[in-house]
């Protein structure tokens, strides 16, 4: 991870895999549920939530920057063997509060997220709001 994310502090690099593992196990971004899955020895249960809140509020993490090396690997894998790379865009709304646009690469019967954008307001985000730029030399 240090090689893939050279700009992150060592403490963040040590904590991030624990948070990601908790998210994979919990299958939700809900921080209250994630905190219960963290493999930490703590005196009180509320300290798990505090640990997670501190990690997420450091200002060190930017999803576009941290996901880029993994997105490039996913694109490389999807195009290995010369097959056509299928990119999928999915847009959804979380109540009337948030609109989410996710761009993924299709691999077999699954999709691997490459990037997503969340914006306050109703659904129907346009591509002009997305924080990513596609180039011909993405791989």
């Amino acid at each position: 991870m240090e090689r893939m994310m050279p700009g992150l502090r060592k403490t963040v690099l040590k904590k991030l895999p624990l948070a990601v593992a908790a998210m994979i196990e919990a299958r939700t971004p809900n921080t209250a549920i994630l905190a219960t899955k963290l493999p930490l020895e703590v005196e009180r249960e509320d300290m798990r939530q505090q640990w997670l809140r501190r990690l997420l509020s450091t200002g060190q993490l930017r999803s576009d920057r941290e996901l880029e090396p993994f997105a490039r690997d996913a694109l490389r894998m999807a195009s290995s063997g010369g097959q056509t790379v299928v990119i999928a865009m999915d847009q959804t709304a979380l109540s009337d509060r948030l609109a989410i646009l996710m761009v993924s690469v299709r691999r077999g019967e699954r999709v691997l997220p490459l990037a997503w954008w969340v914006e306050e307001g109703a659904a129907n985000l346009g591509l002009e709001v997305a924080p990513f730029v596609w180039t011909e030399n993405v791989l």
Side-chain angles (χ1 to χ4, degrees):
M1 285 190 58
E2 219 173 321
R3 180 183 53 79
M4 293 179 91
M5 301 175 206
L8 290 180
R9 289 191 316 237
K10 289 188 187 273
T11 54
V12 174
L13 282 170
K14 287 181 182 176
K15 292 179 176 183
L16 186 57
L18 296 176
V20 170
M23 185 174 274
I24 290 169
E25 185 177 337
R27 294 181 172 198
T28 179
N30 181 308
T31 54
I33 295 171
L34 288 178
T36 66
K37 302 292 184 183
L38 289 169
L40 303 171
E41 289 190 28
V42 293
E43 293 176 22
R44 297 183 329 264
E45 285 304 307
D46 65 317
M47 294 176 83
R48 292 175 193 279
Q49 287 186 20
Q50 182 181 34
W51 182 96
L52 188 56
R53 275 195 305 274
R54 283 185 180 155
L55 172 65
L56 296 174
S57 67
T58 64
Q60 285 278 303
L61 297 173
R62 275 194 21 225
S63 62
D64 59 329
R65 182 186 62 209
E66 273 63 78
L67 286 175
E68 182 183 348
F70 299 103
R72 288 185 185 280
D73 282 349
L75 286 169
R76 263 189 224 97
M77 285 188 298
S79 65
S80 65
Q83 62 265 51
T84 301
V85 176
V86 178
I87 302 293
M89 289 190 339
D90 182 34
Q91 194 167 269
T92 190
L94 230 53
S95 67
D96 289 337
R97 247 187 75 221
L98 299 173
I100 303 167
L101 172 67
M102 183 173 75
V103 177
S104 306
V105 61
R106 184 172 172 193
R107 179 91 169 137
E109 296 300 314
R110 301 214 182 256
V111 294
L112 302 167
L114 298 174
W116 58 86
W117 181 254
V118 178
E119 189 174 280
E120 273 191 73
N124 229 0
L125 292 173
L127 281 176
E128 66 274 1
V129 301
F132 47 86
V133 177
W134 297 103
T135 65
E136 288 183 32
N137 192 13
V138 76
L139 300 177

